[in-house]
Structure formats: C-alpha cells, structure tokens
Amino acid sequence: MRRLRVVTFNTLFGGHSDFGFGPAEHWAAQAEFLRSLEPDVLALQECNFWEQLGRRRLHRAVSAVGMAQGFLAEANVTTSGHRFHSAILLSSRLGVDAEDSDRSRYHHVMGWANLVVPGLRTLLEVRNLHLDPFDPRNRAREVAPLQVLAAPGRLGLVVGDINSIGLGYPEPDWTQLPAHLRNGQLRSPGQDEVSDREAVELLARAGFADASARFGQEAVATAAFGKGDVPRRQDLILVTPALAPALVEYEVAMEPVDLGWSDHAAVRADFDLSLLDQVA
C-alpha cells in the first residue's frame, strides 16, 4: 500500500435536521460527497443518534460512503441533552489491531483505532477528537494524554474538530461573536483578549505537525460559517514526527459549506507511505 488518504468532517448533527432527531435532509448528499473523496480513514463528528436501533445509522453510513467497517465512539450527554458521537470509518485496505473510545477525560468523547496498514511494520494510531467548545482550559486537559503519541517511531494521527483555532491562523475579530460565546475562544480573564490556542500549542510542542502548514494553508478557514459566527480553522489533521515525512497533499473541501450541508468543510490529507523508514 503506497497511498493513504485521511479525511475529517463534522457532519452537523449527522446530516439530520432538528439536532439530529429529524429527517436526513443533508446526509445523502454528504455521503455521496464523502464517497467521492475515496478516504481510507474517515473521521466523523456530530454523529447524533448513531447509537440508536443497533447503531443502524453507523452501519448504513459505512455502506453509503463505500467503506468496509466503522466504529462509533459514544459521547457524554451535554447540559442540553445532546450526545455528539464520533465515528471512524475505514476502507477495505486497512486492518484493525484495536479500537475503543474514551469519554471519561473528554467533554464529548475521543474515538481511537490502531490500524494495520499493508507495507508498514508499525501500527498507525488514529485519534478522532471533538473537543470542548466552551472551555479552553479543558481542551488543554483533553489533549494532554495524546502527547506521548509523538514519541520517536510512532506513526500517529490526531484529527477532528478541535474547537480551537489552529496555529498560523490569523487572529479573528472576536467582537463579531456574541458575548455569551466568546469565553469558549478567548484566553482567561486578566489575559489579553486573544484566541486561546493552548491545546494545539501543547501538541505542537510535543512534536505534532499541522498538515496545513506544509502547504501554506494555515489561514484557510474550515468551520464556523454559520450566521453570527466567526469563520476559523478548527478541523485539523495533526501528524506525528515519524509520519510527517509521508505527507504529500492537503486540501480543504468547501462543498459542504458552499452547498449548505454543514457549517464545516471537509479536510483531506494524503500520505505516500513509501517515504517512511517503517516500510517493510
């Protein structure tokens, strides 16, 4: 296996109206679009109600997107009653050594899978995040256990909706955001009123590389295109030092936003595994 394609996408309530409870107004279009991207690893967020009826929406999504298998990470109940599940869907080219989820440390949940990739002597470790949208300090706590993935020789991906602006993104005008939402984005009171990026700063200091940086796309927004929001880049694909040499392409696909399917774009990164020392 030479090429590996990774995609992350926040579905906005799984493509269903009424916070995921209503009809699938956008899911069919989302699924067709995601299928066209031909991902090997597809990380999805806001998979609301995908646990219902024997995880029926999960299994139907696997078929609709043309994947081979999928794993649902069931989220905590929020203060408004939502459960923003996430999912990792895999192509038939990949095997699974282990998979599970962790919601004890997370506002929503972290789903994870350790993958067997043909041609690699080392497992590929994938972590699918949907971090706390309200508390920057909690986001820093949420990513703290992930820093060890950047140890020498480990092939790892931290992807998903980080709910924090990525490094290199220009400072937004937060006065455009309603006051009741600003605390989720700004540093603590008493500090300069600028974006809190501690979660991504911690991962960067541990050695993770942001896939956008190699291609000069740090300033391309991926999310928060809804009315009254402030566009920003918060859907990230972060790679460990051992995997970074294989990164060959990066793209922000705006179709979901432009066509009204979601308030998030899809983000894609391609890897040429033949560039790695771990190739058998």
Side-chain angles (χ1 to χ4, degrees):
M1 181 173 179
R2 183 172 179 269
R3 282 273 181 149
L4 178 82
R5 175 165 291 179
V6 177
V7 175
T8 181
F9 177 55
N10 185 314
T11 65
L12 186 61
F13 308 120
H16 288 244
S17 63
D18 194 15
F19 305 102
F21 193 71
E25 293 184 347
H26 301 304
W27 170 246
Q30 289 179 356
E32 182 179 359
F33 162 71
L34 292 169
R35 189 184 187 109
S36 74
L37 296 180
E38 299 183 331
D40 291 298
V41 178
L42 175 58
L44 300 175
Q45 302 87 44
E46 293 200 17
C47 302
N48 296 37
F49 297 102
W50 283 28
E51 87 285 8
Q52 297 290 323
L53 299 174
R55 300 188 171 187
R56 187 173 71 179
R57 287 188 185 177
L58 170 70
H59 299 298
R60 289 184 175 181
V62 169
S63 297
V65 183
M67 306 298 271
Q69 56 186 323
F71 305 101
L72 189 69
E74 296 190 21
N76 293 306
V77 179
T78 68
T79 53
S80 56
H82 296 298
R83 295 186 70 193
F84 291 104
H85 308 311
S86 64
I88 297 174
L89 278 57
L90 304 174
S91 78
S92 60
R93 303 202 300 162
L94 302 176
V96 179
D97 184 69
E99 60 82 19
D100 208 337
S101 61
D102 181 357
R103 63 187 185 205
S104 63
R105 298 181 180 89
Y106 294 88
H107 177 80
H108 293 307
V109 66
M110 179 193 72
W112 63 268
N114 294 342
L115 307 180
V116 178
V117 181
L120 291 185
R121 297 191 298 266
T122 305
L123 293 172
L124 176 64
E125 303 178 74
V126 177
R127 305 295 183 262
N128 183 16
L129 299 183
H130 187 190
L131 297 185
D132 192 332
F134 303 116
D135 187 350
R137 292 153 297 280
N138 194 39
R139 289 197 292 268
R141 289 188 290 269
E142 287 178 303
V143 303
L146 305 179
Q147 298 172 63
V148 297
L149 290 176
R154 294 182 74 169
L155 302 181
L157 289 159
V158 172
V159 305
D161 182 356
I162 309 298
N163 268 317
S164 175
I165 293 181
L167 300 181
Y169 191 84
E171 185 66 23
D173 178 6
W174 290 116
T175 64
Q176 303 301 309
L177 192 68
H180 69 282
L181 297 176
R182 292 178 198 164
N183 283 336
Q185 295 298 327
L186 299 177
R187 292 181 180 177
S188 298
Q191 302 182 45
D192 293 338
E193 288 199 0
V194 297
S195 302
D196 187 294
R197 310 188 195 211
E198 185 177 359
V200 288
E201 288 171 343
L202 286 170
L203 292 174
R205 189 165 67 183
F208 280 91
D210 191 318
S212 69
R214 182 170 299 180
F215 304 95
Q217 297 193 54
E218 302 101 313
V220 178
T222 68
F225 295 102
K227 184 178 179 181
D229 213 335
V230 177
R232 47 195 181 266
R233 187 171 69 84
Q234 68 182 49
D235 302 88
L236 308 185
I237 296 178
L238 307 177
V239 303
T240 61
L243 183 61
L247 180 62
V248 292
E249 287 187 31
Y250 172 88
E251 178 190 26
V252 177
M254 292 298 298
E255 288 93 329
V257 175
D258 294 340
L259 297 174
W261 305 334
S262 177
D263 56 351
H264 288 251
V267 179
R268 171 182 67 85
D270 286 5
F271 299 85
D272 182 348
L273 302 179
S274 68
L275 299 175
L276 297 178
D277 294 336
Q278 289 90 346
V279 174

